[in-house]
Structures are given as C-alpha cells and as structure tokens.
C-alpha cells in the first residue's frame, strides 16, 4: 500500500494512529536503524501535526511533555535505540539556516526526523520516506499516509 487515508473522529483517534506508526517502527527496528527515517507532516495550523508527533514520540518511550518546536525549530529526544528529531520549520526564515544548525547531524543511523512545515526547509531537509497529511473534516480530521521509499512502504504495511 503506497497511500491510504483514515478518518479520525477525535484527538484520541489521531493519537492511536500515531502510536500504530511508532509500533511499526519498533517492529522494523533492524530494517530502519541504519538509514534512519524521515517523516514529513503536512497540514494547516491546528490540524494536529504536533499532536501526532506527541503520540509517536511517547509511544517510543518518552514519558514527559512533548513541546512544540515552534520557537526552537527542533526538539530532540534520546529514546534508545532512537534519536527523534522533531522539527517545526514554520518560523524558518531561510532554508539555509538548517545548514548552520547542522542538519546533517540530525539524520543517520538510528535517527528519526519528524518535520512540521518541511516545505520551508526545501533543499536542506532529507527526502521523506513517508508524507503524512492531516486535513480538517468539519471538526474532525482525515489523515493520509503516503510512502515514498521502500522502507516507508514497508513501515506503512505494518499499520
Ligand atoms: P499543528 O501542530 O498541526 O499546528 P496541533 O497538534 O498543535 O496542530 O493542534 C491540533 C489541535 O486540534 C489540538 O487542539 C487537538 O486537540 C485538536 N485535534 C487533534 N486531532 C483532532 C481530531 N481528530 N478532531 C478534532 N480535533 C483534533
Ligand atoms: Mg505544530
């Protein structure tokens, strides 16, 4: 399956899909470890990108609060064996800033990038394995998962 859409009636449903993706990462740890994994999160302000990230990061073992990286641009989590780097590039003035931030160090073995507003980092962020799009559906949401690489496809197949 390369692309699929789910209807999410509330925040709990959104968190459940995020946890399911994190469970897939755990199940595919060996296959994903070496290359790392890059996930783009698309959707308007308030769609649920940070909420999704919270469910994903907590399911991989983070016990505390997940802070929106709106002002810091990136929040990193060391969750053995993973390092999760959660970006929000909404306030990025110039994609070149990512170069100065040492963007290359954020991808690699055992690293996961979750990027909100990846469009703002075009040309500097790694190419995505999975693109997740969250859309408003009245007061609820729909979510679309699209795989762009073989490992992205294998991961979505576990959901
Ligand atoms: P973003 O990071 O995309 O700007 P946030 O995750 O910060 O958005 O905020 C999303 C808001 O929408 C939260 O207040 C959350 O409670 C709400 N929300 C999330 N999922 C749903 C849903 N499926 N239905 C209704 N509201 C939702
Ligand atoms: Mg956000």
């Amino acid at each position: 399956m390369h692309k699929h859409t789910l209807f999410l009636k509330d925040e709990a449903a959104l968190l459940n899909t995020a946890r399911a993706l994190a469970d897939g990462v755990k199940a595919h740890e060996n296959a994903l470890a070496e290359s790392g994994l890059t996930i783009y999160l698309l959707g308007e302000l308030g769609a649920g990108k940070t909420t999704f990230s919270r469910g994903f990061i907590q399911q991989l073992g983070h016990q505390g609060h997940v802070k929106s990286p709106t002002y810091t641009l990136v929040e990193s989590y060391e969750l053995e064996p993973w390092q999760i780097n959660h970006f929000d590039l909404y306030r990025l003035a110039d994609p070149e800033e990512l170069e100065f931030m040492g963007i290359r160090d954020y991808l690699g073995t055992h690293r996961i990038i979750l990027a909100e507003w990846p469009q703002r980092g075009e040309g500097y962020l790694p190419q995505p394995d999975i693109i997740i799009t969250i859309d408003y559906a009245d007061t609820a949401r729909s979510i679309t998962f699209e795989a762009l690489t073989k490992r992205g496809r294998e991961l979505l197949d576990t959901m």
Side-chain angles (χ1 to χ4, degrees), residues 44-51 53 68-70 86-88 116-117:
E44 295 304 313
L45 280 176
K49 301 178 297 298
T50 300
T51 304
S53 301
S68 177
T70 311
H86 178 203
F87 288 85
D88 180 347
E116 301 183 37
W117 298 99

Side-chain angles (χ1 to χ4, degrees), residues 1-6 21 37-42 128-134 143-157 159:
M1 194 186 328
H2 295 213
K3 191 166 178 172
H4 68 275
T5 300
L6 301 171
L21 186 66
L37 184 71
T38 300
I39 300 171
Y40 286 4
L41 287 158
L42 307 183
D129 297 294
I130 295 174
I131 297 179
I132 297 172
T133 308
I134 306 174
I143 189 165
T144 300
F145 294 90
E146 185 178 6
L148 289 101
T149 62
K150 182 167 173 282
R151 57 180 180 270
R153 209 153 52 233
E154 285 166 357
L155 180 51
L156 291 191
D157 281 343
M159 290 182 76

Side-chain angles (χ1 to χ4, degrees), residues 73 89-101 103 117-125:
L73 295 177
L89 303 181
Y90 189 70
R91 291 179 172 273
L92 193 71
D94 183 335
E96 209 183 354
E97 279 180 46
L98 287 173
E99 194 71 44
F100 306 137
M101 281 170 67
I103 183 69
W117 298 99
Q119 310 91 314
R120 314 238 165 159
E122 209 179 342
Y124 290 87
L125 271 187

